Amino acid sequence: MNRSQFSLLVMCLTLFLTGISTHKASAQAACYAAWNATTAYTAGQTASYSKTVEERDIQLFAAMSGDHNPVHLDPEFAAQTMFKERIAHGMFSGALISAAVACELPGPGTIYIGQTMSFQKPVKIGDTLTVRLEILEKLPKFRVRIATRVFNQRDELVVDGEAEILAPRKQQTVTLPTLPAITIG
Amino acid sequence: MNRSQFSLLVMCLTLFLTGISTHKASAQAACYAAWNATTAYTAGQTASYSKTVEERDIQLFAAMSGDHNPVHLDPEFAAQTMFKERIAHGMFSGALISAAVACELPGPGTIYIGQTMSFQKPVKIGDTLTVRLEILEKLPKFRVRIATRVFNQRDELVVDGEAEILAPRKQQTVTLPTLPAITIG
């Protein structure tokens, strides 16, 4: 057994024994190597992924999706709505859920099969969202059901839901490309 | 009845009689005034929203979500995967679904309650996606169930699913803010 195999064994054993894997992911993303699906996934295993919603995120989401609704972009308009201030696009939380699954648990190599989302509370600019993942069930053929719940900084549930994914069949170590600089305005 | 009321009546009648409302939305978005929920929504009513997936969209999604996985960003890495080339983030289709609901049917003022998505096929850069919406059921208290199916340019279903939304209670005419210029690289 070489050094990297030993390190992997220690990591897998730690994961198995504690059933918990928690990382804080910055806006710059933190994708890690995926674990071997046959040994590392157990029901109850958890991970999390956090991000503060910035003005910039709302503008990028609007540009990428084409949804320029003023409740997301215009402070004066939003002040007249039931929300009293601008809110993030609901599917912004969906994007964070997908990043959590793709970067944290199971991580790189995961294939998305399905996602349910139930939007519980609005998300405001400046809120810090934490996606909490928990493996609910291992299904045949590497399919895994994962609870995907999003909380704000007051620990209020803003999005409830579940993902179904196809876990990577073997460990993957990926190098994360650096994005070109994005300038707004 | 003044001229604008008459125009609205004609539009509503047209919508009611044909049961069909179809718009092509550009990448610059096309949000229209919302219809009065009590008169204009009927089961079977449809709308659509189209967008071609550009390199730029993948980079904006990666920056906004934090998911820099190389299967989305690195052509050489992606060539070695089962997909053979880079694919869009799965939730990119989710962002288009949310834009379709927020911009087309019901349109501005809609509140998202829930979304299910079943990912059927990968989406490649250059694919033209069309979100097809169809009202399935009107529920009590302005809640509406909408089929949200995404097709590629070969008319293959790439994402199946349903949205549940709270329809606007009264007609809304919104002015769409112009986004500041976004420069990549």
Side-chain angles (χ1 to χ4, degrees):
Chain A
M1 181 180 290
N2 65 27
R3 188 174 165 182
S4 66
Q5 286 172 321
F6 178 75
S7 297
L8 180 63
L9 179 64
V10 169
M11 285 194 294
C12 286
L13 277 174
T14 306
L15 204 61
F16 181 77
L17 290 171
T18 64
I20 290 175
S21 161
T22 304
H23 296 291
K24 288 278 181 186
S26 75
Q28 293 307 305
C31 277
Y32 298 95
W35 308 95
N36 185 319
T38 56
T39 58
Y41 304 129
T42 52
Q45 188 177 333
T46 64
S48 69
Y49 180 89
S50 293
K51 190 173 191 313
T52 298
V53 186
E54 296 170 13
E55 171 80 34
R56 168 188 178 85
D57 298 317
I58 305 299
Q59 293 174 336
L60 295 183
F61 193 99
M64 174 271 298
S65 68
D67 179 358
H68 292 206
N69 260 290
V71 72
H72 308 303
L73 297 166
D74 181 343
E76 288 181 18
F77 177 93
Q80 305 302 316
T81 68
M82 62 184 283
F83 303 113
K84 307 297 182 201
E85 60 183 295
R86 285 185 298 159
I87 56 170
H89 302 75
M91 202 56 81
F92 177 75
S93 296
L96 292 196
I97 291 169
S98 74
V101 170
C103 295
E104 295 292 330
L105 183 73
T110 298
I111 295 174
Y112 229 150
I113 299 176
Q115 179 72 52
T116 64
M117 276 174 280
S118 167
F119 301 99
Q120 305 284 326
K121 278 184 175 288
V123 171
K124 308 286 177 70
I125 295 170
D127 281 356
T128 296
L129 298 182
T130 299
V131 183
R132 294 186 192 148
L133 305 176
E134 180 180 351
I135 292 186
L136 296 174
E137 189 180 10
K138 287 176 75 172
L139 300 166
K141 297 182 179 177
F142 296 93
R143 285 162 50 231
V144 183
R145 275 179 55 229
I146 305 174
T148 57
R149 312 182 82 200
V150 186
F151 294 83
N152 65 17
Q153 67 278 10
R154 291 180 295 280
D155 214 29
E156 296 166 331
L157 180 67
V158 297
V159 183
D160 201 359
E162 269 187 33
E164 188 178 329
I165 58 92
L166 202 58
R169 297 193 179 205
K170 54 185 179 182
Q171 189 198 3
Q172 289 195 17
T173 304
V174 300
T175 305
L176 296 180
T178 305
L179 283 178
I182 296 174
T183 309
I184 302 179
Chain B
M1 182 180 291
N2 66 28
R3 189 175 165 183
S4 65
Q5 286 172 322
F6 178 74
S7 299
L8 180 64
L9 179 64
V10 170
M11 284 195 292
C12 286
L13 278 174
T14 305
L15 203 62
F16 180 77
L17 290 172
T18 64
I20 290 175
S21 161
T22 303
H23 295 291
K24 290 277 180 187
S26 75
Q28 293 307 305
C31 277
Y32 298 94
W35 307 95
N36 186 318
T38 57
T39 57
Y41 304 129
T42 53
Q45 188 177 333
T46 65
S48 68
Y49 181 88
S50 294
K51 188 173 194 313
T52 298
V53 186
E54 296 170 13
E55 171 81 35
R56 170 188 176 83
D57 298 318
I58 305 299
Q59 292 174 336
L60 296 183
F61 194 99
M64 173 271 298
S65 68
D67 179 356
H68 292 208
N69 260 289
V71 72
H72 309 303
L73 297 166
D74 180 343
E76 288 181 20
F77 177 93
Q80 305 302 316
T81 67
M82 62 184 285
F83 303 113
K84 307 297 184 200
E85 59 183 296
R86 285 184 298 158
I87 57 171
H89 301 76
M91 202 57 81
F92 177 76
S93 295
L96 292 195
I97 290 169
S98 74
V101 170
C103 295
E104 296 291 330
L105 183 72
T110 297
I111 295 173
Y112 229 150
I113 299 176
Q115 179 71 53
T116 63
M117 277 175 279
S118 166
F119 301 100
Q120 306 284 325
K121 278 184 175 289
V123 172
K124 309 284 177 71
I125 295 170
D127 281 357
T128 297
L129 299 182
T130 300
V131 184
R132 295 187 192 147
L133 304 176
E134 179 180 351
I135 291 185
L136 296 174
E137 187 180 11
K138 287 176 76 171
L139 300 167
K141 298 184 178 176
F142 296 93
R143 284 161 52 228
V144 182
R145 274 178 55 229
I146 304 175
T148 57
R149 310 182 83 198
V150 186
F151 294 83
N152 64 19
Q153 68 278 12
R154 290 181 294 280
D155 213 28
E156 296 166 330
L157 180 66
V158 297
V159 183
D160 201 1
E162 269 188 33
E164 187 177 331
I165 58 91
L166 202 59
R169 297 191 178 206
K170 54 186 179 183
Q171 190 197 4
Q172 288 196 17
T173 304
V174 299
T175 304
L176 295 180
T178 304
L179 282 179
I182 296 176
T183 310
I184 301 179

